[in-house]
Amino acid sequence: MNANTQRGFQQRWVDLQNSEWGRNLRFMNYLKGEWIPCAQRWAHCYTNRVFHIGNTSTNRVESAHSSLKKWLASSTHKIDTLFLRYHTSIEGKVTELRKDLEDSRLKVFKLADGPPYGHLNMEVSLWAIELLMKERAREIVQRCGCRLHETHGLPCKCKMDALSDAGMELHPHHLHRFWSSLVYESPPDGAKWEDHDATERGIFAAMVEDVYRQGPAAVRKASQLLLPHIRPQVAGLLEPRESEAPKGRPPKRSNTRDPSWFEHERTRTAKRSKTNENTRKTHKTTPAG
């Protein structure tokens, strides 16, 4: 998994097959059938060529799910309420991330208040500067690999050394714009929301034109299909009768659980005690024969 090159990955796989583990056929067949075919998803020699900004696990997804569940608070919301709360949760997360970025622009990172990071102070995220400092302190054994440049959009050690040898310092334009604006890619149409009503009208207009082109028979068939939906009174359809006993979730129960055994027993005992008490009162008020 930790191999930085594909050649190194293949060599370590051969070494594993020739080791004592290679004698365990069940284990080796499991690796060959389940893990080696999808090595592009977990081996560093492949994942180090993907721009993932440090997201290499599902932890952030699980955290987002947990946060969303806290916003929803119940599993019985209507679709409009669910939609509103979902967008409120996302907007809150975006606001929190932008706040962290603005805090980074207001703070002076004392450890980086000088070359070669001086021009990055109060311009990019503090996390980006920390990653650059760790990368610059890293020792290169054989080759750099440029991992930080590929995965985070930050200058790797060899690039920083080249800038230092040329007497240059790091500037914000040497970093991916994500670290100064939280922008990953430019969304189409200036990040405008899609007008779903206009889209649906365009699709329907295109369908009408297709029906006209197919001739009178297609127009007649399409009219027969649309008439009950557009003019139900003309098609002889009546409004359904309101059900006197509608099915669905019982009132005043939302998402409460069913009573447990001891709660059933407690209720039954309370009813029995009340019945006995009423019986005793009846006997007392009944006149003697």
Side-chain angles (χ1 to χ4, degrees), residues 187-195:
D189 300 330
K192 293 181 180 180
W193 290 96
E194 180 184 2
D195 189 349

Side-chain angles (χ1 to χ4, degrees), residues 34-201:
E34 299 292 336
W35 288 94
I36 298 302
C38 61
Q40 292 81 1
R41 302 179 183 178
W42 53 267
H44 288 179
C45 60
Y46 297 104
T47 58
N48 288 350
R49 296 294 177 263
V50 179
F51 184 60
H52 54 67
I53 321 180
N55 296 318
T56 57
S57 67
T58 60
N59 291 342
R60 293 194 176 187
V61 178
E62 299 297 337
S63 176
H65 287 172
S66 176
S67 176
L68 177 60
K69 290 178 180 178
K70 291 180 181 179
W71 273 92
L72 296 180
S74 175
S75 60
T76 58
H77 288 304
K78 296 183 294 183
I79 186 64
D80 56 341
T81 306
L82 175 66
F83 188 82
L84 177 61
R85 294 202 175 191
Y86 172 76
H87 276 276
T88 304
S89 173
I90 297 299
E91 290 175 357
K93 283 294 182 182
V94 173
T95 302
E96 182 179 352
L97 290 173
R98 294 197 176 280
K99 176 182 178 300
D100 293 340
L101 178 61
E102 292 303 323
D103 289 343
S104 299
R105 291 175 173 176
L106 296 176
K107 296 178 181 178
V108 177
F109 198 5
K110 296 297 183 181
L111 297 178
D113 191 15
Y117 313 106
H119 297 285
L120 302 180
N121 245 327
M122 303 181 69
E123 294 290 338
V124 300
S125 170
L126 296 180
W127 186 38
I129 299 178
E130 292 177 358
L131 290 175
L132 289 172
M133 296 177 68
K134 292 180 181 179
E135 177 70 8
R136 195 161 186 265
R138 180 172 64 91
E139 295 183 2
I140 299 179
V141 180
Q142 294 180 349
R143 55 191 299 272
C144 176
C146 303
R147 175 182 177 182
L148 193 67
H149 175 69
E150 298 290 342
T151 59
H152 291 71
L154 298 173
C156 58
K157 182 174 176 57
C158 66
K159 293 183 181 297
M160 286 189 286
D161 290 344
L163 289 174
S164 179
D165 294 340
M168 300 174 61
E169 297 185 9
L170 290 171
H171 289 266
H173 67 267
H174 291 131
L175 283 65
H176 192 280
R177 59 177 179 171
F178 170 82
W179 300 106
S180 57
S181 62
L182 294 181
V183 175
Y184 180 74
E185 289 290 345
S186 295
D189 300 330
K192 293 181 180 180
W193 290 96
E194 180 184 2
D195 189 349
H196 295 283
D197 292 337
T199 303
E200 294 294 337
R201 287 193 295 269

